[in-house]
Amino acid sequence: MRASHEVKVIRSHNISPFLERIYKLYLETVARSPVAFGAHNRLFFETICRRVPGAEYTLYFVQEELAAFNLLVVKQEAMVDKYFCMDYELGRKYNIYVLSWLQNIRTCVERKIPLYYLGQARRRPKCIWVRR
């Protein structure tokens, strides 16, 4: 976590300036996945914040380069972690995966969101009860 101060974190609903990079990171993540049931098109990432209430991006920059993004749906009753995609080399060097978890837990605590839903793991959903 020593390098975390070098990672700039921005929350946004408008990803227009970063759409190409976001889509590239997403396709690279899909390609690395052992199981993929297809891939979304670029329009999905461009329009989701307008179409889905509570959808927002967390963008992670290293030296002005978008190194990772997290697509979340944030509501008062729960936060859903839909996609996390990153540049593998930069992500490992700056520990962005762990940093994103901490950022998401912090968001839940600050907004008093009781449940952080991380998605499916083997047979059961992964959830963290942040607060009761």
Side-chain angles (χ1 to χ4, degrees):
M1 294 308 298
R2 290 186 300 268
S4 67
H5 71 280
E6 297 178 51
V7 179
K8 183 169 126 181
V9 180
I10 297 174
R11 289 193 171 279
S12 182
H13 297 273
N14 176 18
I15 50 104
S16 299
F18 314 109
L19 181 59
E20 293 301 318
R21 179 71 173 152
I22 283 173
Y23 196 60
K24 182 177 188 252
L25 290 171
Y26 168 71
L27 291 177
E28 289 172 355
T29 301
V30 170
R32 283 193 307 266
S33 176
V35 177
F37 299 108
H40 291 294
N41 61 30
R42 191 181 324 265
L43 187 63
F44 172 84
F45 293 96
E46 185 177 12
T47 62
I48 192 163
C49 289
R50 290 191 305 267
R51 294 181 176 194
V52 176
E56 63 182 55
Y57 286 90
T58 306
L59 307 172
Y60 297 87
F61 293 87
V62 174
Q63 299 174 358
E64 305 303 318
E65 179 180 357
L66 181 62
F69 76 89
N70 207 177
L71 176 56
L72 306 163
V73 178
V74 183
K75 304 222 174 189
Q76 191 54 54
E77 61 275 6
M79 181 166 78
V80 178
D81 192 333
K82 185 66 180 152
Y83 290 111
F84 177 79
C85 302
M86 73 178 178
D87 176 297
Y88 188 75
E89 294 300 319
L90 282 174
R92 282 183 53 98
K93 181 177 179 181
Y94 291 93
N95 211 5
I96 295 176
Y97 185 73
V98 172
L99 182 62
S100 74
W101 272 59
L102 295 173
Q103 181 69 29
N104 291 340
I105 295 293
R106 181 179 300 121
T107 297
C108 288
V109 170
E110 288 172 354
R111 297 184 191 184
K112 296 182 175 40
I113 298 169
L115 179 65
Y116 175 28
Y117 180 77
L118 294 105
Q120 197 68 24
R122 296 195 189 230
R123 295 185 186 109
R124 296 183 299 169
K126 295 184 291 186
C127 298
I128 297 174
W129 287 101
V130 178
R131 142 185 166 84
R132 291 182 182 241

